[in-house]
Amino acid sequence: MSMTDVLSAEDIKKAVEAFTAAESFNHKKFFEMVGLKNKSQEEVQKVFRILDKDRSGFIEEDELKFMLKGFLSSSRDLSDKETKALMAAADKDGDGKIGMDEFATMVAEL
């Protein structure tokens, strides 16, 4: 399965291009731009599974750094600062990884 099975390739491209500059990533704007905020719970779960590269049931910090590549392979890596900010925004229980429920909650936040 690929991201374009769930999200529009055009929306993905526009969203990734909006955050090409270092330290510019904003997860709320990104998820809105790719159209993820308007997707069903099942579709959000599909995106989570794509980002969970090691199939552990969690997105760990090392996977999070490459999150944009999960949407578009030619995109940049998140900086350490952006990765830590994204982890802090999503990791509600403080265990150092993002579960599916935490990911869905983060996507839904306005």
Side-chain angles (χ1 to χ4, degrees):
M1 178 179 303
S2 74
M3 275 306 168
T4 54
D5 291 337
V6 181
L7 303 168
S8 149
E10 187 176 318
D11 288 346
I12 292 170
K13 188 173 187 291
K14 285 180 186 173
V16 168
E17 287 174 355
F19 300 102
T20 54
E23 308 302 337
S24 66
F25 186 72
N26 178 305
H27 68 276
K28 291 179 183 182
K29 286 183 185 174
F30 181 80
F31 292 141
E32 189 174 326
M33 290 179 77
V34 295
L36 197 53
K37 283 194 178 289
N38 303 322
K39 297 296 179 183
S40 70
Q41 183 74 16
E42 181 181 320
E43 290 167 314
V44 170
Q45 289 174 355
K46 286 179 183 176
V47 169
F48 176 88
R49 286 189 203 102
I50 293 168
L51 295 174
D52 177 19
K53 298 290 186 201
D54 66 1
R55 306 275 185 251
S56 67
F58 296 95
I59 300 173
E60 291 89 3
E61 196 167 315
D62 60 333
E63 291 170 316
L64 207 54
K65 183 173 187 71
F66 306 111
M67 188 185 84
L68 292 178
K69 285 187 177 356
F71 286 87
L72 186 66
S73 62
S74 62
S75 60
R76 71 179 179 91
D77 296 341
L78 294 180
S79 70
D80 289 344
K81 183 178 175 184
E82 289 169 318
T83 302
K84 289 189 185 316
L86 185 54
M87 180 61 76
D91 183 19
K92 301 298 186 193
D93 62 9
D95 64 357
K97 53 192 177 186
I98 301 168
M100 192 173 296
D101 290 342
E102 289 172 317
F103 181 77
T105 299
M106 178 178 61
V107 167
E109 287 176 348
L110 296 175

